Amino acid sequence: MNDAPDSSRSEPLAAGEPASLRRLLRLMADLRDPERGCAWDVRQTFATIVPYTIEEAYEVADAVARGDRDDLRDELGDLLLQVVFHARMAEEEGAFAFDDVARAIGDKLVRRHPHVFEPDGTPLPAGSTLRDPAQVEAQWAAIKAQERTARDPGTAEPDPLGGVARALPALARAEKISRRAAAYGFDWGDAVQVIDKVREETDEVAEALAAGDPQALSEEIGDLLFSVANLARHAGIDPETALRDGTAKFERRFAAMAEHLKAAGGALGRSDLAAMEAAWQAAKRDETP
């Protein structure tokens, strides 16, 4: 007996919703049909799909970085499919459906933007005094704190640093955690002070390295990376983007270095460090305007 929901009976969207979205939801339901669907799609779970969800989000970011709007359209579609996939599995469990996901984010947008919307979602008039930037930022923090308390009503005081996803890349999560702490006033005064902290942590890394203590070295390198994430925040730089760009620059220069070695009759793996350093410096000069 087939206990899975019949895709033909699933109508998560009203008739007035875009046909393209209704079609996508129907296709996903058909793919998940245990008797007529795709064997691969049917055997997936929330846990097995998560890596694809994360990968698609990064591919969206890559398309944005490259300025490729056609690719961005396609990658956004792939990311939307992940949302639809998760929602379909939840609907099969009787937990929620895609319409509930859309409604929840709509409600959150209205709730978190009282400076833009009335409680019923009606936009406030253009001259509203509620749009003061300082007031908006304080209000945003207060609303999010209320939401965290509501999620765990049994706790007298919510975790002040709670709600930052543990699945985030470590560098991005470090920046968010430090930003949350800064909202409570626990922060450096400016970027120069953070640079001093970075130097301090670098010295402690050197001490742990000299002591030959792997555990202490790992801890100190972690402290150093956390301080660098704070420096990026104070400088108004996204640390993930900065590291991604820095890695791309290294890749570009490394490839150029290999070409310089080849032109000199050498090759990677057969050239000594001095030759590679000379080729590296030549690659850097090539990039100088």
Side-chain angles (χ1 to χ4, degrees), residues 81-125:
L81 175 62
Q82 296 301 308
V83 178
V84 169
F85 208 137
H86 282 282
R88 178 61 196 178
M89 290 187 290
E91 185 176 1
E92 292 167 359
E93 291 181 354
F96 58 81
F98 181 87
D99 192 44
D100 299 308
V101 175
R103 184 182 301 108
I105 188 58
D107 291 345
K108 182 184 291 186
L109 287 173
V110 171
R111 184 173 65 250
R112 289 188 175 180
H113 295 82
H115 52 289
V116 178
F117 302 109
E118 298 282 3
D120 64 357
T122 303
L124 291 171

Side-chain angles (χ1 to χ4, degrees), residues 37-121:
C38 169
W40 185 89
D41 288 281
V42 170
R43 69 171 179 265
Q44 299 311 307
T45 66
F46 293 107
T48 62
I49 286 298
V50 161
Y52 298 99
T53 307
I54 295 171
E55 179 182 349
E56 295 301 348
Y58 278 115
E59 290 184 359
V60 167
D62 181 65
V64 170
R66 289 184 285 104
D68 188 332
R69 295 296 183 259
D70 289 338
D71 197 27
L72 177 59
R73 176 201 59 215
D74 294 343
E75 296 300 346
L76 285 171
D78 291 343
L79 185 58
L80 175 60
L81 175 62
Q82 296 301 308
V83 178
V84 169
F85 208 137
H86 282 282
R88 178 61 196 178
M89 290 187 290
E91 185 176 1
E92 292 167 359
E93 291 181 354
F96 58 81
F98 181 87
D99 192 44
D100 299 308
V101 175
R103 184 182 301 108
I105 188 58
D107 291 345
K108 182 184 291 186
L109 287 173
V110 171
R111 184 173 65 250
R112 289 188 175 180
H113 295 82
H115 52 289
V116 178
F117 302 109
E118 298 282 3
D120 64 357

Side-chain angles (χ1 to χ4, degrees), residues 126-188:
S128 173
T129 59
L130 297 177
R131 293 190 175 89
D132 175 67
Q135 180 181 345
V136 167
E137 186 172 353
Q139 188 171 246
W140 177 270
I143 291 171
K144 294 192 72 174
Q146 291 169 2
E147 290 174 352
R148 289 195 297 274
T149 301
R151 283 197 297 268
D152 191 6
T155 303
E157 290 292 335
D159 180 358
L161 300 180
V164 180
R166 295 187 180 278
L168 278 173
L171 195 59
R173 189 165 190 272
E175 192 273 344
K176 286 183 176 295
I177 287 290
S178 70
R179 187 178 297 277
R180 181 71 62 79
Y184 292 94
F186 191 72
D187 198 12
W188 290 274

Side-chain angles (χ1 to χ4, degrees), residues 200-281:
E200 175 189 326
E201 297 297 350
T202 302
D203 290 340
E204 292 180 2
V205 168
E207 291 171 6
L209 185 62
D213 185 339
Q215 180 60 39
L217 181 60
S218 176
E219 182 177 331
E220 295 300 344
I221 288 177
D223 291 345
L224 174 59
L225 291 171
F226 188 79
S227 297
V228 170
N230 272 283
L231 176 59
R233 174 175 60 82
H234 268 271
I237 302 297
D238 174 59
E240 283 288 322
T241 300
L243 180 57
R244 189 180 302 116
D245 291 346
T247 302
K249 180 169 65 177
F250 178 85
E251 291 175 303
R252 184 175 65 249
R253 287 179 176 176
F254 195 84
M257 179 188 74
E259 290 298 319
H260 278 284
L261 288 172
K262 182 179 179 181
L268 288 173
R270 292 192 291 106
S271 301
D272 60 21
L273 185 56
M276 287 191 287
E277 177 63 23
W280 177 266
Q281 294 301 326

